[in-house]
Amino acid sequence: MSGTTQKYRNFVAEPMGDKSVTELAGIGETLGGRLSEAGFDKAYTVLGQYLVLKKDEELFKEWMKDVCHASSKQALDCYSCLHDWCEEFL
């Protein structure tokens, strides 16, 4: 994926382990705080929601907007990060 951020490349390059939700591309401290308050404090919990939504881009982006008020770009960045991580590791 061209034009990716260092944060994205770092996340997709290795197993997820116990990474914080703020290590996902598109998720900074503000959105990370909102996600944590909603029970999604680790990257793997957001991955779980991504999988529950059957990896559907539109459903995931809408969920991001509803849960943490992510912008379209932030939601797409997070979706792309999880999508590409899954392609590499699942």
Side-chain angles (χ1 to χ4, degrees):
M1 188 173 185
S2 62
T4 58
T5 63
Q6 186 64 45
K7 187 176 185 180
Y8 165 91
R9 290 189 296 274
N10 289 345
F11 190 86
V12 174
E14 60 188 21
M16 192 174 302
D18 205 32
K19 290 182 180 179
S20 168
V21 70
T22 57
E23 293 188 53
L24 287 162
I27 308 299
E29 291 302 318
T30 301
L31 293 185
R34 292 177 188 157
L35 284 165
S36 290
E37 288 174 12
F40 298 92
D41 59 334
K42 300 290 184 184
Y44 64 78
T45 60
V46 178
L47 171 65
Q49 185 63 31
Y50 168 79
L51 295 173
V52 165
L53 295 172
K54 299 183 179 180
K55 303 181 189 179
D56 184 276
E57 181 177 351
E58 293 307 313
L59 288 175
F60 183 79
K61 290 190 306 187
E62 284 302 313
W63 175 81
M64 288 286 297
K65 291 174 187 177
D66 290 344
V67 171
C68 65
H69 310 291
S71 70
S72 294
K73 181 184 183 327
Q74 291 165 323
L76 178 60
D77 287 350
C78 187
Y79 168 82
S80 297
C81 184
L82 290 171
H83 176 272
D84 293 350
W85 186 91
C86 285
E87 290 294 311
E88 183 69 26
F89 292 101
L90 289 186

